[in-house]
Amino acid sequence: MERAHTLLHELREKNPSCDGLKDGFDDPQVLLMIAGHDKIELRRINEALMAIDHGTTYGTCRMCGGHISIARLKAVPFAEKCLSCKKAEEEALEVLFMTPFGTASRRVTA
C-alpha cells in the first residue's frame, strides 16, 4: 500500500493534471496506473537479468553505448541509460510536453 501512495504522489508531481485522482485505492484509474507501472518495471528487471545471464548489454547505455556507472546501477539495477542520457531524455520530453500540441514536430521550411 505504501508503494501505491508513493507512485500516486510521483504521478501527481510529474503531471499536475492528475491532481484530481482520488487517494482511495478502490479507484480503477489509480489501480490501472499502478498495475501498468509495476508491469513495466517487472519487464525491465527481467530484461536486465537476461542481459546479465548472457553477458552482453548489462551496464551499457542504450543511447550512447557508454558505461552506466556502478552507482547508478546500484540505485536502479535495471537502468538502460547512463545518467547523462537519461537526463537529456527527460529534458527533451519535458520540452515536448510543455509545447502546444504539434509545434515540437513542425519544421519551418523556406
Side-chain angles (χ1 to χ4, degrees):
M1 188 62 84
E2 180 63 31
R3 178 160 171 68
H5 285 286
T6 301
L7 289 172
L8 185 57
H9 179 71
E10 288 174 8
L11 179 65
R12 285 179 175 151
E13 281 183 350
K14 291 179 182 177
N15 191 349
S17 66
C18 293
D19 278 343
L21 290 177
K22 299 176 187 175
D23 283 332
F25 292 101
D26 57 337
D27 184 344
Q29 186 177 8
V30 173
L31 294 174
L32 284 172
M33 183 270 308
I34 293 168
H37 183 274
D38 287 348
K39 186 176 180 180
I40 291 167
E41 191 169 291
L42 183 58
R43 178 191 52 82
R44 292 178 67 201
I45 291 168
N46 283 330
E47 288 174 356
L49 289 171
M50 287 190 315
I52 291 169
D53 287 344
H54 296 285
T56 54
T57 59
Y58 186 75
T60 302
C61 178
R62 290 192 179 189
M63 288 182 74
C64 71
H67 294 289
I68 300 173
S69 72
I70 297 295
R72 176 149 171 75
L73 290 171
K74 283 182 179 180
V76 184
F78 50 85
E80 298 173 335
K81 298 171 189 86
C82 67
L83 193 54
S84 296
C85 288
K86 182 64 178 172
K87 283 182 181 179
E89 177 186 61
E90 287 176 357
E91 289 171 2
L93 286 172
E94 186 175 315
V95 168
L96 179 67
F97 287 112
M98 291 181 76
T99 58
F101 181 72
T103 59
S105 61
R106 285 191 207 147
R107 293 182 182 230
V108 177
T109 56

